[in-house]
Each structure stands twice: as C-alpha cells, then as structure tokens.
Amino acid sequence: EFDLSFASMQGLAATLVPVLVVEHGWNPVAASAVAVLATVTAGAVNGFLVVRAGVDRIVVTLGMANVLLGLALALANLSTVSGLSPGFARLANQEILGLPVSFYYGLAATLGFAYVLRFTPLGRHIAFVGANREVARLAGVRVDRIRFGSYVVSGLFSGIGGVLLVASVGGYDPTSSVIYLPAGITAVFLGMAAVRPGQFNPIGMFIGVYLLATGVLGLQLLGYTGWVEDVFYGAVLIVAVTVSALLRRRTS
C-alpha cells in the first residue's frame, strides 16, 4: 500500500503544533500528541475507505491529501505560524557527533523497519501481501488487518515527522507541504532501484533521501534555484523507475 496523503498528514501535524502552542498556549508535548493523533486518525480513515469500503487507494489518498491541506491552511489562517521555543527545537536540532539528532531518529526508524520486514513473521506476511494479496489470503494471512495497519502506521510516522520538522525550523507554512510529496515518492523509487531492485525497502529509501538531498544541494550551489528541485525529482523518478523495471525484467 502507498499512501499519497503522507505529505499532507505531515503538514497538518507541523501546522497543528505551532497553532496550539503559540496561539492557544498549549504545552508543546500535549500539542505534539494531538498532532500525531490527528494524523493517525487520518490514516485510519484512509485504511477504512480503502480496505473496508473498497474505494481505490489512489483516489482516497489523493482526496485525503487535499482535505488535510485545506484543514492546515484553515488552522493557520493562510499564513506561516512561528514562535516555538528554542527548547522545543532541541528535539530535532540537538547535535550528536556533529549531526542533528533527527538524523539518528531516521536511522533508527529505518533499521527498525528493515528488521521487522526481514526477520519477523509480520514482515514476511507484509511481503506476502504485497506480492500477491489473494494468495496470501488463501494461505491464512490476515490481509485486511495488515493493509489497514499500514495506513495507520503511515499516519503515525507522518505525524512524528511533522512534529520533528516544525521543531527543526521553529514554524511552518502549510502551503509548503506539497513539496514533500514528489521528494518522498522519488526517494522510495530511487531506493527500489539502488537496493533490492523491484522491491520497496527502507534501507534503499534512506539512501535515496540523502542522494536526493545531495543532488539538490549541489545544483543549488551551482546557482540553480527555484525550479531545479521539481526538474531534478521528476528526472530522477523517471530514471529510477526505468532502471528498476529493467533490472526486474532481467532477473525474472
């Protein structure tokens, strides 16, 4: 399952935290918990509509992405909300061995997912469902539960990512959430081409994220700004999908 509303869920969480803390005087911990709960709820709604109601997942998640973007814009009054404390920023920016702690959060999540998918019965069931849903169902795998859970987990980690994002920058502009969708999709497919061709995998995605970040930064240092990210992400996505398809065809 691929949830196309993850960027908007992250944006909703990143908007909720400063709105609740700065404009309504909430404690940052409570605001972060509410933000993550909101994205988990959105993920559960996606899961219900796709798994239980049988609605096409692309339609559901794209529709949810627009709904969440609109909610974030309404909460922020169509403007950037800032003013979070430096103490809250340390949640993401505290340096360890010269790197922000958010890097280690991402590394831990990547390794955790890789372990689950590779070495646990749940991970094998997830792979089985992804390979052939009906065969997995006939083999006794609880397909619907795994599919629904994937949407809930997507909402959970999107919310956590939103909290860390707003902590790192001190505020958030809800309109910027749309820029994270092509970057995220491109990283996933780039990782599929780099590691275990033809299969989505967390290690490959982690590598893809940093390859993309390095590429965009290099182009910006050369003086290309504004439009370069869209062109770069689109070109890399096309190349990654093409390479993955060719490698899969060769090994099949």
Side-chain angles (χ1 to χ4, degrees):
E1 302 293 337
F2 199 88
D3 191 337
L4 294 174
S5 64
F6 71 89
S8 292
M9 287 194 284
Q10 176 179 281
L12 178 64
T15 303
L16 267 172
V17 173
V19 167
L20 293 176
V21 173
V22 177
E23 298 186 1
H24 299 281
W26 281 45
N27 178 280
V29 175
S32 299
V34 168
V36 173
L37 179 61
T39 58
V40 169
T41 302
V45 171
N46 284 345
F48 175 81
L49 292 174
V50 173
V51 179
R52 299 297 183 187
V55 185
D56 184 83
R57 64 180 180 272
I58 295 178
V59 173
V60 169
T61 56
L62 280 178
M64 180 62 75
N66 285 310
V67 169
L68 296 178
L69 176 59
L71 288 175
L73 289 169
L75 287 168
N77 253 343
L78 303 178
S79 61
T80 301
V81 184
S82 59
L84 293 171
S85 68
F88 186 68
R90 285 197 291 271
L91 178 68
N93 295 334
Q94 180 70 41
E95 289 194 359
I96 300 177
L97 299 177
L99 294 171
V101 69
S102 55
F103 167 82
Y104 298 99
Y105 296 152
L107 180 61
T110 300
L111 294 177
F113 272 120
Y115 176 83
V116 169
L117 292 174
R118 181 67 176 169
F119 298 108
T120 68
L122 174 60
R124 289 190 286 272
H125 288 171
I126 291 172
F128 200 8
V129 171
N132 194 312
R133 195 181 303 164
E134 293 308 315
V135 172
R137 197 187 307 277
L138 292 172
V141 177
R142 296 178 175 178
V143 174
D144 288 349
R145 181 175 295 184
I146 288 176
R147 295 180 68 208
F148 179 81
S150 70
Y151 285 101
V152 174
V153 171
S154 173
L156 172 64
F157 279 90
S158 295
I160 295 173
V163 171
L164 293 175
L165 173 63
V166 75
S168 67
V169 298
Y172 192 70
D173 176 5
T175 61
S176 66
S177 63
V178 296
I179 69 174
Y180 295 104
L181 179 59
I185 294 175
T186 304
V188 169
F189 281 96
L190 181 59
M192 185 174 67
V195 180
R196 301 182 68 185
Q199 297 183 35
F200 296 114
N201 61 92
I203 301 295
M205 186 196 68
F206 187 81
I207 295 172
V209 167
Y210 284 94
L211 287 176
L212 290 175
T214 302
V216 169
L217 179 60
L219 290 171
Q220 289 174 342
L221 290 175
L222 290 173
Y224 300 102
T225 59
W227 54 268
V228 69
E229 292 188 20
D230 290 332
V231 174
F232 183 70
Y233 290 149
V236 172
L237 177 59
I238 293 171
V239 171
V241 173
T242 302
V243 170
S244 178
L246 292 174
L247 291 174
R248 184 167 48 190
R249 186 181 304 171
R250 179 178 295 182
T251 56
S252 61

